Amino acid sequence: MNISEVLLAGASLLLTAQSAYSASLMLYAWEGEVQHTRNQAPKTFEPPGLRFTILLPARHEEAVIQDTIQRVVDLVYPQELVQVLIVIESGDTSTIEKVNQKLAALRAQGINHVRLITFNDPPINKPHGLNVGLQEATGNIVTIFDAEDEPHPNILNMVNTVMTREHAPVVQSGVQLMNYSDRWFSALNVLEYFFWFKSRMHYHSAIGMVPLGGNTVFIERALLNWMGGWDQYCLTEDADIGIRLSNERVPIRIVYDDEYVTREETPPTVNQFIKQRTRWNQGFLQVLGKGDWRKLPGIRQRLLALYTLCSPLLQAALMIYPLISLWMLLFVKLPTPLAVLTMLPLYMLVIQLVISLVGLYEFTAAHGLKPSFLSPFWLLISFLPYQFLLGYAALRAVWRQLRGMNSWEKTAHIGAHRTTELTKDVSTALPPEIHLTNSDEEVIRG
Amino acid sequence: MADSTRSQRIPGLVGGKAISTGVWSSLASVRWEALVVLSLSIIALVAHGFNMFNYPAYTLLDDEGIYTSQAWAVLTQHTLTPFTFVYETPPVGWIVLAGWMGLTGGLHTFGGSIDSGRVLMLILHLGMVPMLYHIARKLGCNAPAAACATLLFSLSPLALFYQRFVLVDSVMLFLALLSLDLLLDGWGRLSRVVLSGICFGLAVLCKESALTLLPGMVFIAVQQRWKHQGRFAIIGWLVPALIVTSLYPLYALLKGELFPTFDIPLGSLSPNRVSLLNTFFWQNLRDGGGMFNYNNQFWSLVRTDWFGRDPVLLAGGFLAAVVNLRRGFGNRQAMAIALLTIIPLLFLARGGNVLNYQILLAIPFLGLSLAGVFSVVLDKLPQPAVVASTLVVIVAIGAGYWFSGNFQPLFTERPADAGREATAWIKENINSDSRIITRDDMWTDLRADGLDGPAFPYVYTHWKVSSDPAVRDAIFKQDWHNVDYLITSPNIEKDFIASNNTVALEALKNAHLVRQWKSDPGTQNLHPQQIVELWKVDKAGPTETANLKNSANYLSSAFDRQGAYAGSDGSVNAESQSYALLRAVWSNDRATFDRVWAWTNQNMRNSQGLLHWLWQNQTITDPHTASEADNNTALALLLAGKQWNDLALLSTGTAMVKVIWDTEVVTVQGKPYEVAGDWAAASQSRILAINPSYFQPYAFRIFMQVDPGHDWKGLIDAGYDMLFNASKANLGFAQSAGLPPDWIGLDRDSGELSALQLAEKTDTTRYGYDAPRVYFNIALDLRWSGDGRATSYLNQANFLKDEVNRLLQDGLTRKGLVSSIYKHDGTVVEELPNLVGSAGAISALLTLNPASANTIYASQVLGQTGHTANGLYFGDPQDLIAQEWGWFATALYADKLTDLWHNPAVVQSVKTRP
């Protein structure tokens, strides 16, 4: 074997191992009865006891913010135990105006537990907004909803019950994209959320290393204050705080009960999908670079963190690998065993496809949806292009991260404004930098 | 929830009941059952392991050797098979074997390579014991019944016999049982289901017959799904199994060997390209008469082999499977057992090609079926009767095994000895450059380095010689002359004929038996006696070249003392010195020649330049000469002078020749005769002592050229006449056998020949330790001069030919050799052969009857070799004469005794080779 063959064999084995591991994480929720029951929400509720502060960071959400506020107000929980803080950068006057209209209407109905907070110091992004909100928070428990979220009306009762019964300081409840048949990539995007929140998060929780989600996450306020709040310079502050909590051995309870998930929607265009992914990937790489994960208590946690945070790199490699292996297969005479070996990652891709197909039916059944008979075929057709999208976004993130590595200051800056490129699920809370003039900003709004 | 009504596990198959109240829930019973499993494992260890290297013989089944050779190829050549991979069996089984060998430090950690494989089989069996027990328990058997199933699996003579063989079927079974055990996890863990699927796929990649377990496995996978597994339950088993299995066709596809290739015109299968599908269909679509044909291979094996070894397991297990099938309509566990048992049996009985060891596939499940039924019976008994009934059944079956006599040979007989000894001998004594056609079972140990011997790179199994173009055409070129040896067993010709192996058949026709190894006959109906034979093809090859060199090395190290070749009493005689000189010349070994000549020249030459007969304790103890030693010494000096261009040697030799004539030649009735020595020439007696074996016409023809002043030609003529007459003469016996006598008397006056009276010799007329050399001398003269008298003299050796081919008392075996001493009339004096006699017989018979010569060479020269660190010896390593004549016989046989006087150039070129 020459050096290129050894490299190819090593790459094949590595990718196969990672795919197998990834598949096992996807299927973790179906592993056994313990995992199955652990996912379920409690059947009965404890009487309300905990005080919640709901943070609602928003940015250019004039279209939806009033509905969002209404939905949060409608949550079934005693109003005296809920504080809602809408956090907006003071330059976003149109959204502020809508919020003020809504607040006035609510006060007219005698509803007074909702407040607007504005801020005007940089960086202008979601974590900064969250930190501003945290300073004003009075509840025992702080949680976050995004502007387009549809939380379950009973979510606070459910979380109150879990936290009270289990003395859980942190609860992450499931977030689920729902519009699986809207766009060609929707089904696969929806399934990613499905497998992530229903399955993989539990594995992370069991190991004790949880990159938290961006919303429907409930954390004790005291704990948040002690942690110093969110990292304002991080693109994925949610994953970052999860790892920092794990560093402190704080147990994180995951609940993915199909009924209680917070419903969201997939990005409306491919462009936005890629930008969302780019940010997530870059955020992971950032968290990787920050190195907090090295302080995790055990080797298992550290390895899992490394694996999770490196996933953009793996994804990028997964993108390049088929090209190299195909080229070797066609133009270099490979020994047959090696040729078989180079095929293994492709086999794993088939397994991912099968899991996705089965997952589609698990998802639709769980949410009482009836998939069209064409859905599986769409999934089949879109599977490879979707992998291509993921790979492209990963490559893009790696490339951008490398480019921005020249100086941390500059990256921080870029990081701050790059958030403006992001898709609506989280980035909507983030204002654009003044000097950013490209057309990306329009796309974000969707 | 939408799926709340779906995929409920069917109660009865590893239900919650088993978990909550089953055996594993209480610690006490865990300990109790763990003890049972431990005891079963110990019984299995002893039953399987004791005597497993000796019984059955690894020469009994080709497949053991085939899989071992393939493991060797994986390990050392990094290919799937040593020769072309033809998709007969998927490769995972022997890859596992190779991994085992790699982990345990090579092929020979436990003895032979097959022994190493047998240790792996033992370990796999020990792994299967607890698995089978668990499976039986999880499929509804109670503990006593599960223990009985496991006992049958480990103790049945049928199981023991076949499970000890190194077969990929056992690796397959291990993986299949592991798959089953994982699937019956008891907790419904999805990861176990996936692993189970992977294991099943690997089992199929060991042996396709695992597919016959698929219906049973799928049935269990379907019955076994748990609610929490959702829609991943069955898919989680099927997809991994399918994906792993598909690696095999993928391999073929990537190699371009999946689909059959067609010749033009389309439609006829090209024979020279292998393809997976081709092989698969060939294996599985061969007609064997159908399932209900009583004479198909399955029923014939049942009658002649399987049933006889263990009727309880075979017939009882089958009946139990039928009962389970009937029960299965109300009981899914029974149905699972029935499917797992009956479908493999149906597959074996389908009427296709079935091999005896394929029953392995069914053995654990036959036991499982019996346990299933036994468990039902036990459940109906009151508690105290359960233990008693179980013990009674175990004792009854055990006693049955014992009294049938099928059991004991597994632990006492040693049929593997024949093959083991054969391998050891061949490794030690056959040149490793030889091209050997062998049986499969010995291939790996010969091909691989180790077992105190070298690797034989040119060893091929006869199947490959017949069917693999890369061997048949490229290496043997379809010509038996390219074969040096065959390693066979008595019935192997059938296989040669069946596979149309013309190379092996022709080679065997032109070969002679070197050695035969036989195991003790043992219990023949259970295990046929093992006979391994080594045949040498009738031509000299690399073995002879190597043997000459190694024999000379041995002679040097064992006998050479600064140039003196001393016998065991320390005495040095002229003959041995002259032989050493000749060997050195013919071996082109100048250093030895110079050393021997220097010592001889200094210590043994008399005043005239000839050699004193005997030197001992730093002094000459017999000053007379023996003309043969002088002839040889002069010849050696002349050949050496010519070959190495040494004028001094030439002139010494020439001078010696003249002295020989002057002191050892006597003229009788005008004809010159060389008498036995200076003492004979100087004797006053009327009868001159002549030793016919001192007549060396090939030497005299060269003496003639360096000494033209004397009538050497006349001496040759007179010598031939003497030889013919002495052999023909009755010499006091009623008749002559035509053999030359050791000695003969020549009347100085009349020239008449008569039996010679010698003081120390009782019967000088016999064909003893001297006379065989006559044939050697004449054979060499024939080669060098082509003299017609040589041919006709050799053609008179009918007595020797008849001796070799004489039927022994059993009326079947032929004598195959020549005894060492005969009276002049042919009566045997000393029955046992020696190397001088064999050398003489070979010399004579190579002309008269080459087959007989080859017979003797193979068994009495080559077959008598042995090795030490210092080289090779013939017969008794202490016997100098045996070594000398082993060397001369081999050299004559291999035609290495070149006439360097007339053809020195040949040797010059040899000399320049590195």
Side-chain angles (χ1 to χ4, degrees), chain B residues 340-586:
Chain B
L340 288 172
T341 316
I342 290 176
I343 295 173
L345 282 178
L346 289 180
F347 163 74
L348 292 179
R350 76 195 183 282
N353 190 33
V354 182
L355 299 169
N356 53 4
Y357 60 79
Q358 282 181 295
I359 192 66
L360 278 173
L361 173 66
I363 285 173
F365 304 108
L366 288 167
L368 201 56
S369 280
L370 279 168
V373 174
F374 187 49
S375 181
V376 174
V377 174
L378 286 183
D379 281 344
K380 291 186 176 146
L381 296 177
Q383 195 65 30
V386 169
V387 177
S389 320
T390 310
L391 287 177
V392 166
V393 166
I394 291 175
V395 169
I397 292 178
Y401 288 159
W402 184 268
F403 290 110
S404 69
N406 290 356
F407 199 59
Q408 298 87 327
L410 289 157
F411 308 102
T412 54
E413 293 180 4
R414 303 172 59 92
D417 283 349
R420 211 183 299 281
E421 285 161 10
T423 305
W425 193 89
I426 291 166
K427 275 254 168 184
E428 194 181 333
N429 292 303
I430 298 299
N431 182 263
S432 59
D433 286 332
S434 307
R435 290 186 183 188
I436 304 175
I437 296 179
T438 181
R439 306 150 46 95
D440 288 297
D441 39 65
M442 294 173 67
W443 188 89
T444 312
D445 284 337
L446 292 178
R447 179 63 187 82
D449 207 6
L451 290 179
D452 302 326
F456 286 61
Y458 310 110
V459 57
Y460 304 93
T461 72
H462 66 87
W463 298 111
K464 291 294 163 195
V465 175
S466 73
S467 62
D468 189 343
V471 177
R472 182 187 58 212
D473 302 342
I475 291 162
F476 287 101
K477 303 183 170 59
Q478 308 236 34
D479 183 354
W480 67 268
H481 287 94
N482 293 314
V483 184
D484 292 313
Y485 292 95
L486 299 110
I487 300 169
T488 65
S489 43
N491 289 324
I492 207 159
E493 272 185 278
K494 273 193 315 193
D495 289 338
F496 291 175
I497 293 166
S499 59
N500 195 22
N501 194 342
T502 47
V503 174
L505 273 173
E506 286 296 315
L508 193 58
K509 256 182 225 161
N510 293 285
H512 285 85
L513 186 65
V514 178
R515 274 201 173 214
Q516 190 183 54
W517 295 268
K518 284 184 183 182
S519 66
D520 289 334
T523 316
Q524 292 275 3
N525 65 324
L526 294 176
H527 192 310
Q529 183 185 23
Q530 294 301 292
I531 300 175
V532 178
E533 294 175 342
L534 175 69
W535 292 73
K536 172 170 174 53
V537 175
D538 304 338
K539 64 173 187 93
T543 299
E544 281 65 38
T545 310
N547 282 3
L548 287 173
K549 183 165 170 287
N550 294 330
S551 162
N553 286 344
Y554 178 80
L555 274 156
S556 278
S557 74
F559 299 101
D560 188 340
R561 306 281 171 267
Q562 288 97 42
Y565 278 73
S568 49
D569 60 353
S571 66
V572 180
N573 68 47
E575 185 182 84
S576 291
Q577 293 306 101
S578 71
Y579 289 164
L581 290 169
L582 278 172
R583 267 200 316 277
V585 181
W586 274 316

Side-chain angles (χ1 to χ4, degrees), chain B residues 585-819:
Chain B
V585 181
W586 274 316
S587 306
N588 198 18
D589 180 356
R590 178 84 200 240
T592 301
F593 184 91
D594 287 346
R595 190 172 65 248
V596 175
W597 176 237
W599 190 92
T600 311
N601 192 26
Q602 190 183 343
N603 293 294
M604 294 198 79
R605 293 186 80 190
N606 66 16
S607 55
Q608 294 171 292
L610 298 186
L611 304 192
H612 297 296
W613 173 244
L614 201 62
W615 176 98
Q616 194 167 16
N617 298 330
Q618 310 299 325
T619 175
I620 296 297
T621 50
D622 182 346
H624 293 300
T625 66
S627 47
E628 184 221 15
D630 295 328
N631 293 343
N632 284 334
T633 306
L635 177 67
L637 289 167
L638 292 173
L639 295 181
K642 193 87 168 183
Q643 179 174 356
W644 295 319
N645 243 331
D646 189 324
L647 290 175
L649 293 177
L650 278 176
S651 76
T652 314
T654 307
M656 252 184 114
V657 168
K658 289 177 176 156
V659 179
I660 289 171
W661 186 279
D662 291 343
T663 61
E664 295 177 336
V665 173
V666 178
T667 302
V668 175
Q669 295 206 329
K671 294 178 185 170
Y673 292 91
E674 190 184 36
V675 295
D678 57 359
W679 54 274
S683 139
Q684 300 304 310
S685 162
R686 192 165 60 86
I687 304 297
L688 288 164
I690 288 185
N691 187 317
S693 72
Y694 294 180
F695 176 60
Q696 295 167 295
Y698 55 93
F700 302 155
R701 289 177 206 277
I702 291 167
F703 295 174
M704 193 188 309
Q705 294 187 1
V706 298
D707 180 24
H710 292 121
D711 184 14
W712 288 99
K713 184 178 176 304
L715 185 112
I716 293 170
D717 295 342
Y720 264 115
D721 286 346
M722 174 275 298
L723 205 51
F724 278 102
N725 292 333
S727 306
K728 208 184 304 172
N730 288 351
L731 301 180
F733 288 85
Q735 54 165 6
S736 165
L739 297 168
D742 281 350
W743 295 86
I744 191 80
L746 176 69
D747 192 309
R748 268 182 203 273
D749 303 329
S750 64
E752 300 252 321
L753 294 173
S754 58
L756 180 71
Q757 305 297 319
L758 278 181
E760 71 274 28
K761 305 260 178 188
T762 46
D763 177 7
T764 60
T765 64
R766 62 192 194 178
Y767 179 85
Y769 297 137
D770 285 328
R773 295 180 298 186
V774 169
Y775 290 118
F776 176 83
N777 291 335
I778 301 305
L780 197 55
D781 191 43
L782 175 61
R783 296 221 180 145
W784 287 16
S785 74
D787 193 315
R789 287 169 294 186
T791 314
S792 51
Y793 185 74
L794 295 172
N795 278 335
Q796 288 179 11
N798 280 308
F799 176 81
L800 296 180
K801 186 186 87 177
D802 295 344
E803 269 294 280
V804 178
N805 296 298
R806 184 153 60 83
L807 278 176
L808 296 184
Q809 278 178 331
D810 63 6
L812 289 171
T813 326
R814 296 187 185 274
K815 180 167 176 176
L817 52 83
V818 169
S819 294

Side-chain angles (χ1 to χ4, degrees), chain A residues 87-91 117-129 131-133 135 232-233 416 431 433:
Chain A
V87 191
I88 304 179
E89 186 262 328
S90 50
I117 306 174
T118 60
F119 67 100
N120 55 13
D121 53 327
I124 300 161
N125 59 19
K126 178 176 173 182
H128 187 190
N131 284 335
V132 169
Q135 285 163 20
Q232 298 183 183
Y233 297 97
E433 286 266 26

Side-chain angles (χ1 to χ4, degrees), chain B residues 118-154:
Chain B
R118 290 207 175 168
V119 177
L120 176 64
M121 294 301 119
L122 171 66
I123 290 168
L124 291 179
H125 181 79
L126 290 180
M128 284 189 269
V129 163
M131 291 197 291
L132 186 63
Y133 184 85
H134 290 165
I135 290 165
R137 293 291 280 126
K138 289 168 189 168
L139 287 176
C141 302
N142 53 30
C148 285
T150 314
L151 267 183
L152 276 178
F153 177 62
S154 294

Side-chain angles (χ1 to χ4, degrees), chain A residues 12-63:
Chain A
S12 306
L13 286 174
L14 202 69
L15 282 177
T16 308
Q18 105 81 13
S19 301
Y21 185 54
S22 155
S24 75
L25 296 187
M26 284 167 83
L27 293 177
Y28 181 73
W30 290 267
E31 163 71 1
E33 284 189 318
V34 179
Q35 288 83 354
H36 184 67
T37 48
R38 193 130 175 86
N39 241 336
Q40 288 168 347
K43 303 282 185 243
T44 58
F45 291 146
E46 296 289 327
L50 296 174
R51 291 174 52 83
F52 287 95
T53 295
I54 296 173
L55 299 179
L56 247 179
R59 168 74 184 167
H60 291 219
E61 295 287 1
E62 50 271 48

